[in-house]
Amino acid sequence: MEPGASWSRLSVYAVLCLALILLWVASPSEAGLYFGQGKCKHNDKIFKPGQKFQRGCDKCYCEEEGFFCITPMRPTSWPKKCKPIYMDCSYRIVYRSHPDKDCRAYSWVG
């Protein structure tokens, strides 16, 4: 095994642990996750490890090995008495008869 391989593997594990923590604390509408390797670059700007940026509605975080992004999820099913409302890169499920009251979605997809 190469000398730097264990550190590289350790940083991957650290990123995965951080991603799991973010998934745990993220709201239901922010739970999709994807990774990118190489330079942490967006709109021709290069970001350093520890910096974050927004790619559309995705929140991205830079690491030594690349970056990971949390993408907003969208509801796929909800009770007939409810409806989804798209708001600022996320969805809110509300009762049709009382749009000021939240309703639960049955499932989400990212």
Side-chain angles (χ1 to χ4, degrees):
M1 184 181 332
E2 295 178 31
S6 62
W7 284 107
S8 178
R9 193 170 295 140
L10 182 62
S11 65
V12 169
Y13 290 133
V15 169
L16 288 175
C17 288
L18 178 60
L20 289 172
I21 290 168
L22 288 171
L23 285 173
W24 184 263
V25 299
S27 70
S29 63
E30 294 182 339
L33 183 69
Y34 64 90
F35 297 93
Q37 290 185 323
K39 289 183 180 178
C40 193
K41 183 178 177 181
H42 178 62
N43 287 341
D44 295 327
K45 182 177 178 186
I46 296 177
F47 295 87
K48 295 178 183 175
Q51 291 184 312
K52 55 187 174 181
F53 62 93
Q54 190 140 349
R55 178 187 273 179
C57 289
D58 298 353
K59 295 175 185 174
C60 301
Y61 302 86
C62 299
E63 296 294 329
E64 290 290 336
E65 302 294 323
F67 64 93
F68 64 94
C69 299
I70 299 172
T71 187
M73 297 197 54
R74 56 186 167 81
T76 56
S77 63
W78 49 87
K80 289 184 180 189
K81 60 186 174 185
C82 303
K83 65 179 181 177
I85 297 175
Y86 182 75
M87 309 173 48
D88 203 25
C89 289
S90 66
Y91 285 88
R92 186 169 165 224
I93 310 299
V94 298
Y95 286 96
R96 291 179 189 276
S97 59
H98 299 285
D100 57 324
K101 292 187 180 180
D102 290 335
C103 183
R104 278 232 185 240
Y106 293 138
S107 60
W108 296 78
V109 68

